[in-house]
Coordinates of all heavy atoms in Angstrom, one line a residue:
M491 N 0.9 -1.2 0.0 CA 0.0 0.0 0.0 C 0.9 1.2 0.0 O 1.9 1.3 0.8 CB -0.9 0.0 1.2 CG -1.9 1.1 1.3 SD -3.1 1.0 2.6 CE -4.1 -0.4 2.0
T492 N 0.5 2.2 -0.8 CA 1.4 3.4 -1.0 C 1.1 4.4 0.2 O 0.0 4.2 0.9 CB 1.1 4.1 -2.3 OG1 -0.2 4.7 -2.3 CG2 1.2 3.2 -3.5
N493 N 1.9 5.4 0.3 CA 1.7 6.4 1.4 C 0.4 7.1 1.1 O -0.3 7.5 2.0 CB 2.9 7.3 1.5 CG 4.0 6.7 2.2 OD1 3.9 5.8 3.0 ND2 5.2 7.2 1.9
Y494 N 0.1 7.4 -0.2 CA -1.1 8.2 -0.5 C -2.3 7.3 -0.2 O -3.3 7.8 0.3 CB -1.1 8.5 -2.0 CG -0.2 9.6 -2.4 CD1 0.4 9.6 -3.7 CD2 0.1 10.7 -1.6 CE1 1.3 10.6 -4.1 CE2 1.0 11.7 -2.0 CZ 1.6 11.6 -3.2 OH 2.4 12.6 -3.6
Q495 N -2.3 6.0 -0.4 CA -3.4 5.2 -0.1 C -3.6 5.1 1.4 O -4.8 5.2 1.9 CB -3.2 3.8 -0.7 CG -3.3 3.7 -2.2 CD -2.9 2.4 -2.8 OE1 -2.2 1.6 -2.1 NE2 -3.4 2.1 -3.9
K496 N -2.5 5.1 2.2 CA -2.7 5.1 3.6 C -3.3 6.4 4.1 O -4.2 6.4 5.0 CB -1.3 4.9 4.3 CG -0.7 3.5 4.1 CD 0.7 3.4 4.7 CE 1.3 2.1 4.3 NZ 2.7 2.0 4.7
T497 N -2.9 7.5 3.5 CA -3.4 8.8 3.9 C -4.9 8.9 3.5 O -5.7 9.4 4.3 CB -2.6 9.9 3.2 OG1 -1.2 9.8 3.6 CG2 -3.1 11.3 3.7
I498 N -5.2 8.4 2.3 CA -6.6 8.4 1.9 C -7.5 7.7 2.9 O -8.5 8.2 3.4 CB -6.8 7.7 0.5 CG1 -6.2 8.6 -0.6 CG2 -8.3 7.4 0.2 CD1 -6.1 8.0 -2.0
L499 N -7.1 6.5 3.3 CA -7.8 5.7 4.3 C -7.9 6.3 5.6 O -8.9 6.3 6.3 CB -7.3 4.3 4.3 CG -7.5 3.5 3.0 CD1 -6.8 2.1 3.1 CD2 -8.9 3.3 2.6
T500 N -6.8 6.9 6.1 CA -6.7 7.5 7.4 C -7.7 8.7 7.4 O -8.5 8.8 8.4 CB -5.3 8.0 7.7 OG1 -4.5 6.9 7.8 CG2 -5.3 8.8 9.0
L501 N -7.7 9.5 6.4 CA -8.6 10.7 6.3 C -10.1 10.3 6.3 O -10.9 10.9 6.9 CB -8.3 11.6 5.1 CG -6.9 12.3 5.2 CD1 -6.6 13.0 3.8 CD2 -7.0 13.4 6.2
L502 N -10.3 9.2 5.5 CA -11.7 8.8 5.4 C -12.2 8.2 6.7 O -13.3 8.4 7.1 CB -11.9 7.7 4.3 CG -11.8 8.3 2.9 CD1 -11.7 7.2 1.8 CD2 -13.0 9.2 2.6
H503 N -11.4 7.4 7.4 CA -11.8 6.9 8.7 C -12.0 8.0 9.7 O -12.9 7.9 10.5 CB -10.7 5.9 9.2 CG -10.8 4.5 8.6 ND1 -11.8 3.7 8.8 CD2 -10.0 3.9 7.6 CE1 -11.7 2.6 8.0 NE2 -10.6 2.7 7.3
E504 N -11.1 9.0 9.7 CA -11.3 10.2 10.6 C -12.6 10.9 10.3 O -13.2 11.4 11.2 CB -10.1 11.1 10.5 CG -8.8 10.6 11.1 CD -7.6 11.4 10.8 OE1 -7.7 12.5 10.1 OE2 -6.5 11.1 11.3
R505 N -12.9 11.0 9.0 CA -14.1 11.8 8.6 C -15.4 11.0 9.0 O -16.4 11.7 9.3 CB -14.0 12.0 7.1 CG -15.0 12.9 6.5 CD -14.8 14.4 6.6 NE -13.5 14.9 6.6 CZ -12.9 15.6 5.6 NH1 -13.6 15.8 4.5 NH2 -11.7 16.1 5.8
G506 N -15.3 9.7 8.9 CA -16.5 8.9 9.4 C -17.3 8.3 8.2 O -17.1 8.7 7.1
A507 N -18.1 7.4 8.5 CA -18.9 6.6 7.6 C -19.8 7.6 6.8 O -20.4 8.5 7.3 CB -19.8 5.6 8.3
G508 N -19.9 7.4 5.5 CA -20.7 8.1 4.6 C -20.2 9.5 4.2 O -20.7 10.2 3.3
K509 N -19.1 9.9 4.8 CA -18.5 11.2 4.5 C -17.4 11.1 3.4 O -16.9 10.0 3.2 CB -17.9 11.8 5.7 CG -18.8 12.0 6.9 CD -19.8 13.1 6.6 CE -20.7 13.2 7.9 NZ -21.7 14.2 7.7
T510 N -17.2 12.2 2.7 CA -16.2 12.1 1.6 C -15.0 13.1 1.9 O -15.1 14.0 2.8 CB -16.9 12.5 0.3 OG1 -17.3 13.9 0.4 CG2 -18.0 11.6 -0.1
I511 N -14.0 12.8 1.1 CA -12.8 13.7 1.1 C -12.5 14.1 -0.4 O -12.9 13.3 -1.3 CB -11.6 13.2 1.7 CG1 -11.0 11.9 1.0 CG2 -11.8 12.9 3.2 CD1 -9.6 11.5 1.4
C512 N -11.9 15.2 -0.6 CA -11.4 15.6 -1.9 C -10.0 15.0 -2.0 O -9.2 15.0 -1.0 CB -11.3 17.1 -2.0 SG -10.7 17.7 -3.6
P513 N -9.6 14.5 -3.2 CA -8.2 13.9 -3.3 C -7.2 15.0 -2.9 O -6.1 14.6 -2.5 CB -8.2 13.6 -4.8 CG -9.6 13.3 -5.2 CD -10.4 14.3 -4.4
S514 N -7.4 16.2 -3.1 CA -6.4 17.3 -2.8 C -6.1 17.3 -1.3 O -5.1 17.8 -0.9 CB -6.9 18.6 -3.3 OG -8.0 19.1 -2.6
E515 N -7.0 16.8 -0.5 CA -6.8 16.8 1.0 C -5.7 15.9 1.4 O -5.1 16.0 2.5 CB -8.1 16.4 1.7 CG -9.2 17.4 1.6 CD -10.4 16.9 2.3 OE1 -10.4 16.7 3.6 OE2 -11.5 16.8 1.7
V516 N -5.3 15.0 0.5 CA -4.2 14.0 0.8 C -2.9 14.8 0.7 O -1.9 14.4 1.4 CB -4.3 12.9 -0.2 CG1 -3.0 12.0 -0.1 CG2 -5.6 12.1 -0.1
L517 N -2.8 15.8 -0.1 CA -1.5 16.6 -0.3 C -1.4 17.8 0.7 O -2.4 18.3 1.1 CB -1.4 17.1 -1.7 CG -1.5 16.0 -2.8 CD1 -1.6 16.6 -4.2 CD2 -0.3 15.1 -2.7
S518 N -0.2 18.1 0.9 CA 0.1 19.3 1.7 C -0.3 20.6 0.9 O -0.4 20.5 -0.3 CB 1.6 19.4 2.1 OG 2.3 19.7 0.9
P519 N -0.6 21.7 1.6 CA -1.0 22.9 0.8 C -0.1 23.3 -0.3 O -0.5 23.7 -1.3 CB -1.1 23.9 1.9 CG -1.4 23.2 3.2 CD -0.7 21.9 3.0
S520 N 1.2 23.1 0.0 CA 2.2 23.5 -1.0 C 2.2 22.5 -2.2 O 2.7 22.8 -3.3 CB 3.6 23.6 -0.4 OG 4.0 22.4 0.1
D521 N 1.8 21.3 -2.0 CA 1.8 20.3 -3.1 C 0.5 20.2 -3.9 O 0.5 19.5 -4.9 CB 2.1 18.9 -2.5 CG 3.5 18.7 -2.0 OD1 4.4 19.4 -2.5 OD2 3.7 17.9 -1.1
K522 N -0.5 20.8 -3.4 CA -1.8 20.7 -4.1 C -1.8 21.2 -5.6 O -2.6 20.8 -6.4 CB -2.9 21.5 -3.3 CG -3.3 20.8 -2.1 CD -4.3 21.5 -1.3 CE -4.6 20.7 0.0 NZ -5.7 21.2 0.8
K523 N -0.9 22.1 -5.9 CA -0.8 22.6 -7.2 C 0.1 21.8 -8.2 O 0.2 22.1 -9.3 CB -0.3 24.1 -7.2 CG -1.3 25.0 -6.5 CD -0.9 26.4 -6.5 CE -1.9 27.2 -5.8 NZ -1.6 28.6 -5.8
N524 N 0.7 20.8 -7.6 CA 1.6 19.9 -8.4 C 0.7 18.9 -9.1 O 0.2 17.9 -8.5 CB 2.6 19.2 -7.4 CG 3.6 18.4 -8.2 OD1 3.2 17.6 -9.1 ND2 4.8 18.4 -7.8
K525 N 0.5 19.0 -10.4 CA -0.3 18.1 -11.2 C 0.1 16.7 -11.2 O -0.7 15.8 -11.1 CB -0.4 18.6 -12.6 CG -1.2 19.9 -12.7 CD -1.3 20.4 -14.2 CE -2.0 21.7 -14.2 NZ -2.3 22.2 -15.6
E526 N 1.4 16.4 -11.2 CA 1.9 15.1 -11.1 C 1.5 14.4 -9.8 O 1.1 13.2 -9.8 CB 3.4 15.0 -11.3 CG 3.8 15.4 -12.8 CD 5.3 15.4 -12.9 OE1 6.1 14.8 -12.1 OE2 5.8 15.9 -14.0
M527 N 1.7 15.1 -8.7 CA 1.4 14.5 -7.4 C -0.1 14.3 -7.3 O -0.6 13.2 -6.8 CB 1.9 15.4 -6.3 CG 3.4 15.5 -6.2 SD 4.0 16.6 -4.9 CE 3.9 15.5 -3.5
M528 N -0.9 15.2 -7.8 CA -2.4 15.1 -7.8 C -2.8 13.8 -8.6 O -3.7 13.1 -8.2 CB -3.0 16.3 -8.3 CG -4.5 16.4 -8.0 SD -4.7 16.5 -6.3 CE -6.4 15.9 -6.3
E529 N -2.2 13.6 -9.7 CA -2.5 12.5 -10.5 C -2.1 11.2 -9.8 O -2.8 10.2 -9.9 CB -1.8 12.6 -11.9 CG -2.3 11.5 -12.9 CD -3.8 11.6 -13.1 OE1 -4.4 12.6 -13.1 OE2 -4.4 10.5 -13.2
E530 N -1.0 11.2 -9.1 CA -0.6 10.0 -8.3 C -1.7 9.7 -7.2 O -2.0 8.5 -7.0 CB 0.7 10.2 -7.6 CG 1.9 10.2 -8.6 CD 3.2 10.5 -7.9 OE1 3.4 10.1 -6.7 OE2 4.1 11.1 -8.5
V531 N -2.2 10.7 -6.6 CA -3.3 10.5 -5.6 C -4.5 9.9 -6.3 O -5.1 8.9 -5.8 CB -3.7 11.8 -4.9 CG1 -4.9 11.6 -4.0 CG2 -2.5 12.3 -4.1
R532 N -4.9 10.4 -7.4 CA -6.1 9.9 -8.2 C -5.8 8.5 -8.6 O -6.7 7.6 -8.5 CB -6.4 10.8 -9.3 CG -7.0 12.2 -8.9 CD -7.1 13.2 -10.0 NE -8.0 12.8 -11.0 CZ -9.3 13.3 -11.1 NH1 -9.7 14.2 -10.2 NH2 -10.1 13.0 -12.1
T533 N -4.6 8.2 -9.1 CA -4.3 6.8 -9.5 C -4.4 5.8 -8.3 O -4.9 4.7 -8.4 CB -2.9 6.7 -10.1 OG1 -2.9 7.6 -11.3 CG2 -2.5 5.3 -10.5
D534 N -3.9 6.2 -7.2 CA -3.9 5.4 -6.0 C -5.4 5.2 -5.5 O -5.7 4.1 -5.0 CB -3.1 6.0 -4.9 CG -1.6 5.7 -5.1 OD1 -1.2 5.0 -6.1 OD2 -0.8 6.2 -4.3
A535 N -6.2 6.3 -5.6 CA -7.6 6.2 -5.3 C -8.3 5.2 -6.2 O -9.1 4.4 -5.7 CB -8.3 7.5 -5.3
K536 N -8.0 5.2 -7.5 CA -8.6 4.3 -8.4 C -8.3 2.8 -8.0 O -9.1 1.9 -8.1 CB -8.1 4.5 -9.8 CG -8.6 5.8 -10.5 CD -8.0 5.9 -11.9 CE -8.2 7.2 -12.5 NZ -7.6 7.4 -13.8
E537 N -7.0 2.6 -7.6 CA -6.6 1.2 -7.2 C -7.4 0.8 -6.0 O -7.9 -0.4 -5.9 CB -5.1 1.2 -6.9 CG -4.6 -0.2 -6.6 CD -3.1 -0.3 -6.4 OE1 -2.4 0.5 -7.0 OE2 -2.7 -1.1 -5.6
L538 N -7.6 1.7 -5.0 CA -8.4 1.3 -3.8 C -9.9 1.1 -4.2 O -10.5 0.2 -3.7 CB -8.4 2.5 -2.8 CG -7.0 2.7 -2.1 CD1 -7.1 3.9 -1.2 CD2 -6.7 1.5 -1.2
A539 N -10.4 1.8 -5.2 CA -11.7 1.6 -5.7 C -11.9 0.3 -6.4 O -12.8 -0.5 -6.2 CB -12.2 2.7 -6.6
R540 N -10.9 -0.1 -7.2 CA -10.9 -1.4 -7.9 C -10.9 -2.5 -6.9 O -11.5 -3.6 -7.2 CB -9.7 -1.5 -8.8 CG -9.9 -0.8 -10.1 CD -8.7 -1.1 -11.1 NE -8.4 0.2 -11.8 CZ -7.3 0.9 -11.6 NH1 -6.4 0.6 -10.7 NH2 -7.1 2.0 -12.3
K541 N -10.3 -2.3 -5.8 CA -10.2 -3.4 -4.7 C -11.4 -3.4 -3.9 O -11.6 -4.2 -3.0 CB -8.9 -3.2 -3.9 CG -7.6 -3.4 -4.6 CD -6.5 -3.2 -3.6 CE -5.2 -3.5 -4.3 NZ -4.0 -3.2 -3.5
G542 N -12.4 -2.5 -4.1 CA -13.6 -2.4 -3.3 C -13.5 -1.8 -2.0 O -14.3 -2.0 -1.1
I543 N -12.4 -1.1 -1.7 CA -12.2 -0.5 -0.4 C -12.9 0.9 -0.3 O -13.4 1.3 0.8 CB -10.7 -0.4 -0.1 CG1 -10.0 -1.8 -0.1 CG2 -10.4 0.3 1.2 CD1 -8.5 -1.8 -0.1
I544 N -12.8 1.7 -1.3 CA -13.4 3.0 -1.4 C -14.3 3.1 -2.6 O -14.2 2.3 -3.5 CB -12.4 4.1 -1.3 CG1 -11.6 4.2 -2.7 CG2 -11.5 4.0 -0.1 CD1 -10.8 5.5 -2.8
E545 N -15.0 4.2 -2.7 CA -15.8 4.5 -3.8 C -15.3 5.9 -4.3 O -15.0 6.8 -3.5 CB -17.3 4.7 -3.5 CG -17.9 3.3 -3.2 CD -19.4 3.5 -2.8 OE1 -19.8 4.4 -2.1 OE2 -20.1 2.5 -3.2
I546 N -15.3 6.1 -5.6 CA -15.0 7.4 -6.2 C -16.4 7.9 -6.6 O -17.2 7.3 -7.3 CB -14.1 7.2 -7.4 CG1 -12.7 6.7 -6.9 CG2 -13.9 8.6 -8.1 CD1 -11.7 6.4 -8.0
C547 N -16.7 9.2 -6.2 CA -18.0 9.7 -6.4 C -18.0 11.0 -7.2 O -17.0 11.8 -7.1 CB -18.6 10.0 -5.0 SG -18.7 8.6 -4.0
Q548 N -19.0 11.3 -7.9 CA -19.3 12.5 -8.5 C -20.8 12.8 -8.3 O -21.6 11.9 -8.4 CB -19.0 12.5 -10.0 CG -17.6 12.6 -10.3 CD -17.3 12.6 -11.8 OE1 -17.9 12.0 -12.6 NE2 -16.2 13.4 -12.1
S549 N -21.1 14.0 -7.9 CA -22.5 14.4 -7.5 C -23.2 13.4 -6.5 O -24.3 13.1 -6.6 CB -23.4 14.5 -8.8 OG -22.8 15.4 -9.7
G550 N -22.3 12.9 -5.6 CA -22.8 12.1 -4.5 C -23.1 10.6 -4.9 O -23.5 9.8 -4.1
K551 N -22.7 10.2 -6.2 CA -23.0 8.9 -6.6 C -21.7 8.2 -7.0 O -20.8 8.8 -7.6 CB -23.9 8.9 -7.8 CG -25.3 9.4 -7.5 CD -26.1 9.5 -8.7 CE -27.5 10.1 -8.4 NZ -28.2 10.5 -9.6
A552 N -21.5 6.9 -6.6 CA -20.3 6.2 -7.0 C -20.3 6.0 -8.5 O -21.3 5.8 -9.2 CB -20.4 4.8 -6.4
I553 N -19.0 6.2 -9.0 CA -18.8 6.1 -10.5 C -17.8 5.0 -10.8 O -17.0 4.6 -9.9 CB -18.4 7.4 -11.1 CG1 -17.1 7.9 -10.5 CG2 -19.5 8.5 -11.0 CD1 -16.5 9.0 -11.3
D554 N -17.7 4.6 -12.0 CA -16.7 3.6 -12.4 C -15.3 4.3 -12.4 O -15.1 5.4 -13.0 CB -17.0 3.2 -13.9 CG -16.0 2.2 -14.4 OD1 -15.0 2.0 -13.8 OD2 -16.3 1.7 -15.5
P555 N -14.4 3.8 -11.6 CA -13.1 4.4 -11.5 C -12.3 4.5 -12.9 O -11.3 5.3 -13.0 CB -12.3 3.5 -10.5 CG -13.0 2.3 -10.5 CD -14.4 2.5 -10.9
E556 N -12.7 3.8 -13.9 CA -12.1 3.8 -15.2 C -12.6 5.0 -16.0 O -12.0 5.2 -17.1 CB -12.2 2.5 -15.9 CG -11.7 1.3 -15.1 CD -10.3 1.5 -14.5 OE1 -9.4 2.0 -15.3 OE2 -10.0 1.1 -13.4
N557 N -13.7 5.6 -15.7 CA -14.3 6.6 -16.5 C -14.4 8.0 -15.8 O -15.5 8.6 -15.8 CB -15.7 6.2 -17.0 CG -15.5 5.0 -17.9 OD1 -14.7 5.0 -18.8 ND2 -16.4 4.0 -17.7
I558 N -13.3 8.4 -15.2 CA -13.4 9.6 -14.4 C -13.1 10.9 -15.3 O -12.2 10.9 -16.1 CB -12.3 9.6 -13.3 CG1 -12.6 8.5 -12.3 CG2 -12.3 11.0 -12.6 CD1 -11.6 8.4 -11.3
K559 N -14.1 11.8 -15.2 CA -13.9 13.1 -15.9 C -14.4 14.2 -15.0 O -15.5 14.1 -14.5 CB -14.7 13.1 -17.2 CG -14.3 12.2 -18.3 CD -15.1 12.2 -19.5 CE -14.7 11.2 -20.5 NZ -15.5 11.1 -21.6
G560 N -13.5 15.1 -14.6 CA -13.8 16.2 -13.7 C -13.6 15.9 -12.3 O -12.9 14.9 -11.9
P561 N -14.1 16.8 -11.4 CA -13.8 16.7 -10.0 C -14.4 15.4 -9.4 O -15.5 15.0 -9.8 CB -14.4 17.9 -9.4 CG -14.9 18.7 -10.5 CD -14.9 17.9 -11.8
I562 N -13.7 14.9 -8.4 CA -14.2 13.7 -7.7 C -14.1 13.8 -6.2 O -13.4 14.7 -5.7 CB -13.5 12.4 -8.1 CG1 -11.9 12.5 -7.8 CG2 -13.7 12.1 -9.6 CD1 -11.1 11.3 -8.0
R563 N -14.9 13.0 -5.5 CA -14.8 12.8 -4.1 C -14.5 11.4 -3.8 O -14.9 10.5 -4.6 CB -16.0 13.3 -3.4 CG -16.5 14.7 -3.7 CD -15.7 15.7 -2.9 NE -15.9 15.7 -1.5 CZ -15.3 16.5 -0.6 NH1 -14.4 17.4 -1.1 NH2 -15.5 16.4 0.7
L564 N -13.9 11.1 -2.6 CA -13.7 9.7 -2.2 C -14.4 9.4 -0.9 O -14.5 10.2 0.0 CB -12.2 9.5 -2.0 CG -11.2 10.0 -3.0 CD1 -9.8 9.9 -2.6 CD2 -11.5 9.3 -4.4
R565 N -14.9 8.2 -0.8 CA -15.6 7.8 0.4 C -15.4 6.3 0.6 O -15.2 5.5 -0.3 CB -17.1 8.1 0.5 CG -17.9 7.2 -0.4 CD -19.4 7.6 -0.3 NE -20.1 6.9 -1.3 CZ -21.2 7.4 -1.9 NH1 -21.7 8.6 -1.5 NH2 -21.8 6.7 -2.8
L566 N -15.4 5.8 1.9 CA -15.3 4.4 2.2 C -16.5 3.7 1.7 O -17.6 4.2 1.6 CB -15.3 4.2 3.7 CG -14.0 4.7 4.4 CD1 -14.2 4.6 5.9 CD2 -12.8 3.8 4.0
K567 N -16.3 2.5 1.2 CA -17.4 1.7 0.7 C -18.1 1.0 1.8 O -17.6 0.7 2.8 CB -16.8 0.6 -0.2 CG -17.8 -0.1 -1.0 CD -17.3 -0.7 -2.3 CE -18.4 -1.2 -3.1 NZ -18.0 -1.9 -4.2

């Protein structure tokens, strides 16, 4: 498990059941503008979603992790 995946899960557990986080919350304020790091977070989130650990959401609904377009939120499954 990557550091980003660990951070995603930690933040989601802290937030609580049914609550979401933005992938940018995984990064420090100074790293949020780094597109490569943001893409790594999204890639790690996709892997967690494929494993059935989290859901990737848009407009409050779970979406297919392979067809992401636009802003997303993450939540525990």
Side-chain angles (χ1 to χ4, degrees):
M491 184 171 290
T492 70
N493 284 335
Y494 289 145
Q495 289 172 338
K496 290 175 188 174
T497 303
I498 289 168
L499 294 175
T500 298
L501 290 171
L502 287 171
H503 283 288
E504 288 173 356
R505 189 75 38 104
K509 304 291 183 179
T510 64
I511 64 166
C512 178
S514 66
E515 293 178 58
V516 174
L517 299 173
S518 68
S520 61
D521 290 334
K522 288 181 182 185
K523 294 181 182 180
N524 183 316
K525 291 181 181 184
E526 288 178 15
M527 292 177 85
M528 194 63 204
E529 191 54 40
E530 287 177 31
V531 171
R532 290 169 67 100
T533 298
D534 284 355
K536 288 179 193 179
E537 185 176 328
L538 289 171
R540 282 187 217 108
K541 291 179 178 179
I543 299 169
I544 69 167
E545 293 177 321
I546 297 176
C547 304
Q548 286 182 321
S549 301
K551 298 176 184 167
I553 62 168
D554 179 352
E556 304 308 318
N557 295 313
I558 297 174
K559 292 180 184 173
I562 60 172
R563 303 284 295 178
L564 310 175
R565 73 176 169 214
L566 289 172
K567 191 158 185 183

